[in-house]
Amino acid sequence: MQKFHIKNATIFNEGHSFVGDVLVENDQIIAVESSLTTPANAQVIDATGLWLLPGMIDDQVHFREPGLTHKGTIASESRAAVAGGITSYMEQPNTVPNAVTQELLADKYQIAATQSYANYSFLMGGTNDNLEELLKTNPKNVAGIKLFLGSSTGNMLVDDPEVLEQIFSSTPLIIDVHCEDETTIRANLAQYKEKYGAEIPVTAHHLIRSTEACYLSSSRAVALAQKTGARLHVFHLSTAAEMELFRNDIPLSEKKITAEVCIHHLWFTNEDYSTKGNLIKWNPAVKTAADREALWEALNDDRIDVIATDHAPHTWEEKSKSYLEAPSGGPLVQHALVALLEAHFQGRISVEKIVQKMAHNPAILFQVEKRGFIKPGYFADLVLVNPNDPWTVHKDNILYHCGWSPFEGTTFKAKITHTFVNGHLAYANGQVDERKAGKRLLFDRK
């Protein structure tokens, strides 16, 4: 029997913070009190001066297995995730082959069962012709359905309006969408090719994958969800214009249409293309400083419900190609939480709000069973943070398989000291324990 007694931590949970103790036994939290007696055979962790947070739940990652393992694997990227305080993730279907049948989806779960350091779920991918397969998806053990309404890595574009309405009308599952209007993007790209030929600068990325492309697509998805009553979750919002589409006047548990923002859209702006280049080339594109400010405002006033990473590693060689040839996406799971805490120190967001948006709300939104909170009876997914131990990201401490980070050279004030996954001490003081303790996420759904 594995027991831990975490003592004297500043515990952040459900909008409050207090100094207290947490008792972990096997895979569960047994007690949370201001003071607890150490049980026999328990390992004591003195957390005086440290912050204790629920394990973060990342609702959008691309871990690249199967088929793209030169970029990353379930093992390598989940290992980086636990070092970054992310204890659960929801992975996207645009691997190779695309996870668009129940059999292919099951293959990914089979890999993760032996390879994942963190808890996992895999989204079922939608296409223009797989409605029958989508409807077989089990809501109790699959997070949701993913639809690409704009092409991205893997090119799983769903662009048939009749098919979209059928999907939205037919499934009770959460429909997660990537929203960019393909017609607008193609027209913009043609203009820039006419001007620059093959030498389009990366500084044009946010003008090609423009505000108009994002708003057109996301507004159509929201309108279709309103028409059909579908449960819609819009991934990686990037523009000020889209913020008018989302509400903050009803509780999250009652929302039918919800919104997500990613770390890179909160951190970078188009001004960073000149120094970061393709390393910050994402779809949707990083936009302007004004867009970033609008995202922060909507995040803090609860129009945006969730923060995620859209972790999507590519090799350095791939990212070093020309703008037109370099793929979109970048690795983020190891540095997401410390980047958010850096934003906290800058006065942009409270720690309580970070915990709400990256632990509590993903659990509520996806109805994740017994995770996302520090409560007795919940799985012991926990993160200890030293709020004042500065460190700098460099190649020697990057755990991603691809070996690079857009944050390389950045100094963060906070450092993650311990991560528990299902009561197992998966990461401590700079070292990942090689036992893979991740479990399949389950969902409290009918």
Side-chain angles (χ1 to χ4, degrees):
M1 182 179 292
Q2 194 173 26
K3 294 182 184 178
F4 290 93
H5 182 187
I6 303 169
K7 297 183 65 171
N8 303 319
T10 301
I11 301 167
F12 290 86
N13 192 54
E14 296 186 278
H16 303 285
S17 64
F18 64 97
V19 176
D21 293 9
V22 173
L23 182 61
V24 172
E25 191 172 297
N26 291 334
D27 62 354
Q28 290 199 348
I29 298 168
I30 301 301
V32 183
E33 301 287 350
S34 58
S35 181
L36 289 164
T37 301
T38 303
N41 303 318
Q43 180 179 334
V44 175
I45 296 176
D46 184 358
T48 302
L50 304 183
W51 295 348
L52 183 66
L53 317 178
M56 302 294 113
I57 301 172
D58 191 344
D59 78 351
Q60 187 188 181
V61 303
H62 303 262
F63 280 179
R64 305 305 194 196
E65 189 172 9
L68 299 166
T69 53
H70 65 289
K71 302 175 190 280
T73 66
I74 287 170
S76 68
E77 307 313 284
S78 66
R79 190 171 183 270
V82 299
I86 291 171
T87 56
S88 299
Y89 62 86
M90 300 174 191
E91 210 263 357
Q92 305 305 298
N94 54 332
T95 40
V96 178
N98 299 151
V100 294
T101 69
Q102 294 300 320
E103 183 180 3
L104 291 170
L105 186 64
D107 289 345
K108 295 177 75 169
Y109 279 106
Q110 190 170 359
I111 296 167
T114 61
Q115 295 301 309
S116 188
Y117 290 84
N119 305 308
Y120 52 88
S121 190
F122 296 92
L123 272 67
M124 177 67 177
T127 70
N128 281 327
D129 56 7
N130 78 333
L131 179 61
E132 188 176 333
E133 285 293 308
L134 288 180
L135 295 181
K136 295 176 185 175
T137 306
N138 185 346
K140 298 287 286 183
N141 63 11
V142 177
I145 289 168
K146 173 67 177 286
L147 302 180
F148 287 90
L149 308 187
S151 63
S152 192
T153 303
N155 198 21
M156 290 175 58
L157 182 64
V158 183
D159 58 356
D160 185 324
E162 291 185 10
V163 169
L164 278 173
E165 184 154 352
Q166 263 194 311
I167 294 171
F168 273 58
S169 301
S170 302
T171 180
L173 279 162
I174 294 176
I175 302 170
D176 302 285
V177 288
H178 174 135
C179 289
E180 291 182 285
D181 181 65
E182 196 66 19
T183 301
T184 301
I185 292 168
R186 287 174 181 167
N188 290 341
L189 181 59
Q191 289 181 2
Y192 277 87
K193 281 184 174 178
E194 186 175 343
K195 182 176 181 179
Y196 291 102
E199 301 303 317
I200 298 174
V202 68
T203 51
H205 188 54
H206 72 295
L207 303 173
I208 294 168
R209 303 188 83 96
S210 62
T211 292
E212 292 75 17
C214 293
Y215 184 83
L216 272 174
S217 183
S218 55
S219 60
R220 287 174 188 152
V222 168
L224 185 57
Q226 290 169 335
K227 175 183 177 181
T228 59
R231 177 65 186 86
L232 179 70
H233 184 49
V234 184
F235 276 163
H236 44 43
L237 290 158
S238 63
T239 74
E242 291 167 291
M243 297 305 98
E244 70 176 38
L245 300 171
F246 303 97
R247 298 174 59 180
N248 61 0
D249 59 341
I250 54 175
L252 176 60
S253 60
E254 296 176 18
K255 285 187 179 184
K256 295 280 283 184
I257 298 168
T258 51
E260 175 210 272
V261 69
C262 290
I263 301 296
H264 44 288
H265 293 123
L266 295 171
W267 188 277
F268 300 104
T269 74
N270 64 298
E271 295 174 5
D272 296 307
Y273 287 124
S274 60
T275 55
K276 296 287 185 179
N278 291 330
L279 298 186
I280 62 165
K281 182 188 177 189
W282 276 282
N283 300 339
V286 168
K287 306 281 195 308
T288 68
D291 289 305
R292 181 177 64 181
E293 291 309 307
L295 295 173
W296 275 113
E297 182 180 343
L299 180 67
N300 277 302
D301 73 16
D302 295 334
R303 282 173 289 164
I304 293 177
D305 306 290
V306 167
I307 304 170
T309 67
D310 194 17
H311 174 89
H314 298 285
T315 67
W316 182 264
E317 291 73 22
E318 290 168 329
K319 280 294 200 176
S320 299
K321 294 180 179 180
S322 69
Y323 166 71
L324 284 176
E325 293 183 321
S328 294
L332 282 167
V333 288
Q334 188 182 347
H335 304 107
L337 178 54
V338 290
L340 287 173
L341 291 171
E342 198 67 24
H344 162 69
F345 297 130
Q346 296 167 359
R348 286 188 173 274
I349 188 170
S350 68
V351 179
E352 290 85 353
K353 187 70 79 171
I354 293 170
V355 168
Q356 177 193 14
K357 301 295 183 175
M358 219 176 165
H360 300 340
N361 281 8
I364 294 167
L365 193 156
F366 286 92
Q367 297 170 282
V368 182
E369 186 178 284
K370 293 184 178 179
R371 301 190 192 276
F373 294 84
I374 303 177
K375 290 182 178 181
Y378 274 56
F379 290 104
D381 298 336
L382 301 165
V383 184
L384 276 169
V385 175
N386 186 331
N388 191 22
D389 188 6
W391 63 288
T392 302
V393 180
H394 54 75
K395 291 201 184 300
D396 290 346
N397 56 31
I398 292 171
L399 298 185
Y400 310 126
H401 182 72
C402 66
W404 64 271
S405 166
F407 286 116
E408 193 167 341
T410 302
T411 297
F412 293 115
K413 184 179 179 183
K415 180 182 285 184
I416 292 157
T417 64
H418 301 74
T419 303
F420 290 85
V421 178
N422 300 309
H424 170 64
L425 187 53
Y427 176 80
N429 300 314
Q431 298 296 318
V432 178
D433 185 272
E434 292 307 320
R435 176 185 159 201
K436 301 176 179 74
K439 294 184 179 183
R440 183 170 183 164
L441 296 176
L442 299 177
F443 305 91
D444 288 317
R445 300 167 178 160
K446 295 178 182 177

